[in-house]
Amino acid sequence: MASKPRLYIPQGLREDMELFLTDARAHYLCNVLRLSAGSLFWAFDGQNGEFECEIVECGKKRVSARILRRTRQFEKGPDIWLLFAPVKKDRTDFIVEKATELGVSKIIPVITRRTISEKIKKERYIAQAVEAAEQCRRQEIPEIEDARPLETVLKNWDTRRILYFMDESGKGRPVSEVFGAAAGKDGPAALLIGPEGGFSEQEFDFLRRQDYAESVSLGKRILRAETAVAAALSCWQAFCGDWK
Ligand code: SAH
């Protein structure tokens, strides 16, 4: 099935509503997709579900459309956060896109001792997440926070949220054991993946001392950070998330 044109339109959508789109969305529908009056597309707003829409008129800078019907009720995904140490730009793009496809609800870039913290462009990450959500038929966009030092994020940590940190040192418990034991126990969770240079000894000591944190191994091979993000999130979704 050719992928249907799907747009995130962050305003309260409801049936029988008139839509007036300008800027990038108008350009995308009329000039990129070359849709015209009578063409259909799908829209979601991250709160009210997904709607089938019909183009009424394609103007130079503006598109008018009407919402025909709701095609899917809104459903919230699992409460899983990703904390990751930014890596090189294109690899960080990959992390944001895969995390969105793999259903994270929030992304927090964290600065650790060995993070090569290139300029963190939150707007870029948000655009990446919107595009990934539109393509993978998600109904909401993950929240993306400003990059902050790991210790700052953990200082105010809500200890009801388990923090699974991916421990490349070989001291972590096997992921199948950790997530297998957590399967079925609903509750907020977060995954933490370190930078290319790995966690420092001080960071490992600190994390291992926190009772809300669990050290997890993804096997004997050392994965690139972006691989570890995709692997850890896939395991979590399979055992504890919405892949059941
Ligand atoms: N330079 C480090 C590897 C860092 S890999 C070294 O050679 O040891 C980047 C991040 O991916 C790590 O901080 C960790 O969070 C995650 N990761 C990579 N391989 C992993 C594994 N086998 N188990 C758990 N986490 C892993």
Side-chain angles (χ1 to χ4, degrees), residues 166-168 193-199 216-219 221-223 225 228:
M166 298 305 121
D167 179 341
E168 72 273 14
I193 282 89
E196 275 175 52
F199 290 113
V216 179
S217 167
L218 293 170
R221 289 176 293 279
I222 296 292
L223 311 175

Side-chain angles (χ1 to χ4, degrees), residues 132-148:
E134 288 173 339
Q135 177 274 326
C136 74
R137 296 198 65 206
R138 259 190 86 151
Q139 289 210 44
E140 80 243 82
I141 310 296
E143 204 185 320
I144 298 186
E145 293 199 349
D146 290 317
R148 303 195 299 286

